[in-house]
Amino acid sequence: MVDFCINGGGMVGAALALGLAQQQFKVAVIEPYLPAPFNAEKGPDLRVSAISEASVTLLKALGAWEHIAAMRVKPYTGLSVWDDPAHRTDFTAHSIDMPQLGFFVENRLLQLGCHHALKQFDNVELITGQTVQDIQLTNTAKVSLSNGRTIEASWLVGADGANSQVRKAAGIGTTGWQYAQQAMGITIKMENAVEPVTWQQFTSSGPKAFLPMFDNFASLVWYDSPDELKRIKSLKANQLESEILKTFPDELTRNGNSFSVIDKAIFPLTRAHANHYVKGCCALVGDAAHTINPLAGQGVNLGFKDVETFLSVCAEFKPFGSDNALSLTDKVFSQRLISNYEKPRKRDNLVMMTAMDGFYTLFSNDVAPIKWIRNQLLSVAQRIEPAKQEVLKYAIGLR
């Protein structure tokens, strides 16, 4: 019998396991496919996240950040947004007295760092190479694995992504939709050094974004219709480079900095929100509870906020069988999770999801009055420094 069985040992699931281990709970983590080990000689992965300062603070407290930073991270100090280059807003770390706005980190390295930190805990069992075959839920959870083993837990946590087995087993529905557009991630290597500035230009066909990475590498994000991205993906590297030069702003090759394409992949864009984050003896975190338009790179940061809030509730309780302590099996724990985890996180995640959709709608069309309004907004935002600072602090998790 374990206190928590976490289905999914990705970035969010592994971070939650770390926090629960620190709180002395007995934890089982089921992760069928471990990430490939770090190899400094290999280029970057396609899946990259913009990690906020708030997320870095959490990862430091969990003991994972030192392992992540020892591999490779890219701090960025500036962020620019525009439609028409004459109307743009530039955010800088200097404006809010911060050394950086955040870090670009490959998802796999975030996961590896958390797994490395987990090795010091003997109250965590990492189960790999096995898949979940069945989930039985009563007052506790019984999880049957593909090797015939059964794990019993006081609580089952779904950290198993957008198609969560735990969410389905608990009978938790979702609301949401598939976006009409998709996104292509393109890894490039620049001829010269990459400035630590990320930018995003909005066009009628969708945003075009630039994410600086370690050494001279960078990641491009190209939003467009599925048909157009399918066409682009089929191009040879030199043809794709020509398409990028025609489509992306001159900012990409400023000062004559050329590039070559290293890798590319298309990702669907989905919005989904679970109707409940807590039901019975099950709880959801990260993408199992919410998926968001990746426009501002907030997805994994929202997941880490889930972890932080979940852990704050657990801190008041003790492992199963402890004497003179509030127990995980008491109804009060479930009630606290609903009131102090589900309600605030569901509300905040919904606000962020709605804001990203509104932002996307405002900036991804060619309706003349709306185009005029958004250009005025960007121009005004550029000139009003106090307001710009508050927006920036919220974006990087300082508010």
Side-chain angles (χ1 to χ4, degrees):
M1 180 78 167
V2 297
D3 298 304
F4 293 94
C5 177
I6 302 174
N7 191 32
M11 298 177 287
V12 174
L16 179 60
L18 269 175
L20 293 172
Q22 289 179 344
Q23 295 175 346
Q24 304 302 312
F25 291 108
K26 190 174 181 181
V27 183
V29 181
I30 304 168
E31 176 50 53
Y33 311 106
L34 287 180
F38 174 64
N39 184 343
E41 300 302 316
K42 290 190 175 181
D45 298 336
L46 274 165
R47 290 188 175 273
V48 180
S49 291
I51 303 302
S52 69
E53 282 295 312
S55 293
V56 171
T57 299
L58 172 67
L59 291 167
K60 285 180 177 178
L62 296 176
W65 185 252
E66 61 186 272
H67 303 295
I68 297 165
M71 290 181 279
R72 56 194 183 203
V73 301
K74 176 70 174 184
Y76 66 99
T77 59
L79 185 160
S80 297
V81 180
W82 71 88
D83 172 358
D84 181 337
H87 303 278
R88 61 185 286 162
T89 301
D90 301 301
F91 300 94
T92 66
H94 176 74
S95 70
I96 55 173
D97 298 320
M98 295 290 292
Q100 65 273 319
L101 298 178
F103 297 82
F104 286 108
V105 190
E106 296 153 74
N107 291 5
R108 178 174 59 94
L109 303 190
L110 288 165
Q111 185 183 8
L112 281 172
C114 289
H115 278 256
H116 192 94
L118 277 172
K119 291 178 181 178
Q120 67 180 297
F121 294 98
D122 57 12
N123 53 329
V124 177
E125 181 187 5
L126 178 61
I127 301 166
T128 66
Q130 305 298 322
T131 57
V132 173
Q133 297 297 299
D134 187 52
I135 297 173
Q136 296 294 324
L137 302 172
T138 53
N139 292 331
T140 60
K142 290 184 179 180
V143 181
S144 300
L145 302 177
S146 52
N147 64 355
R149 180 182 172 186
T150 298
I151 299 170
E152 186 172 4
S154 297
W155 279 83
L156 176 61
V157 179
D160 46 352
N163 295 315
S164 171
Q165 287 178 285
V166 174
R167 189 183 67 229
K168 293 172 184 175
I172 300 174
T174 63
T175 57
W177 54 81
Q178 188 93 15
Y179 291 100
Q181 289 191 326
Q182 293 182 345
M184 175 183 282
I186 307 169
T187 300
I188 62 173
K189 187 168 186 179
M190 308 293 292
E191 182 181 10
N192 303 316
V194 178
E195 290 186 7
V197 176
T198 182
W199 48 258
Q200 193 155 206
Q201 181 186 33
F202 291 91
T203 72
S204 58
S205 62
K208 308 294 182 286
F210 174 87
L211 287 58
M213 296 181 69
F214 69 97
D215 293 340
N216 289 11
F217 289 100
S219 180
L220 304 179
V221 186
W222 184 332
Y223 292 77
D224 217 310
S225 68
D227 288 343
E228 177 63 5
L229 291 184
K230 183 178 179 181
R231 180 189 72 82
I232 295 165
K233 189 174 186 294
S234 68
L235 298 177
K236 295 179 180 178
N238 64 326
Q239 294 173 317
L240 177 55
E241 289 161 14
S242 297
E243 289 283 345
I244 291 170
L245 287 171
K246 287 192 298 184
T247 307
F248 275 69
D250 293 341
E251 195 97 357
L252 177 62
T253 52
R254 191 171 57 181
N255 301 323
N257 199 358
S258 61
F259 66 91
S260 55
V261 171
I262 305 299
D263 200 3
K264 59 185 183 293
I266 296 174
F267 306 105
L269 303 179
T270 304
R271 168 173 169 159
H273 204 189
N275 297 334
H276 304 282
Y277 288 12
V278 179
K279 185 176 179 181
C281 61
C282 295
L284 306 177
V285 295
D287 283 358
H290 47 80
T291 58
I292 184 173
N293 190 317
L295 190 62
Q298 289 297 315
V300 73
N301 293 311
L302 296 181
F304 286 143
K305 285 183 179 180
D306 292 348
V307 168
E308 184 177 25
T309 307
F310 194 98
L311 292 174
S312 70
V313 176
C314 295
E316 301 179 46
F317 294 81
K318 298 296 181 184
F320 176 77
S322 298
D323 294 330
N324 303 317
L326 288 170
S327 169
L328 293 178
T329 54
D330 290 341
K331 287 185 177 179
V332 66
F333 179 69
S334 178
Q335 292 166 352
R336 293 277 180 85
L337 272 185
I338 292 172
S339 60
N340 295 346
Y341 167 66
E342 177 181 294
K343 287 185 177 179
R345 291 306 305 138
K346 192 175 182 184
R347 179 189 63 240
D348 291 353
N349 289 332
L350 181 60
V351 168
M352 183 61 75
M353 294 165 85
T354 304
M356 287 303 99
D357 282 344
F359 201 66
Y360 182 84
T361 301
L362 175 63
F363 281 88
S364 294
N365 65 72
D366 261 346
V367 178
I370 294 179
K371 190 170 184 177
W372 182 86
I373 291 171
R374 70 187 181 223
N375 283 332
Q376 298 310 305
L377 286 173
L378 289 173
S379 295
V380 170
Q382 178 75 337
R383 293 194 299 268
I384 304 177
E385 195 61 33
K388 191 164 66 168
Q389 291 172 5
E390 288 303 308
V391 169
L392 185 55
K393 288 177 181 178
Y394 183 83
I396 66 173
L398 300 181
R399 285 287 187 269

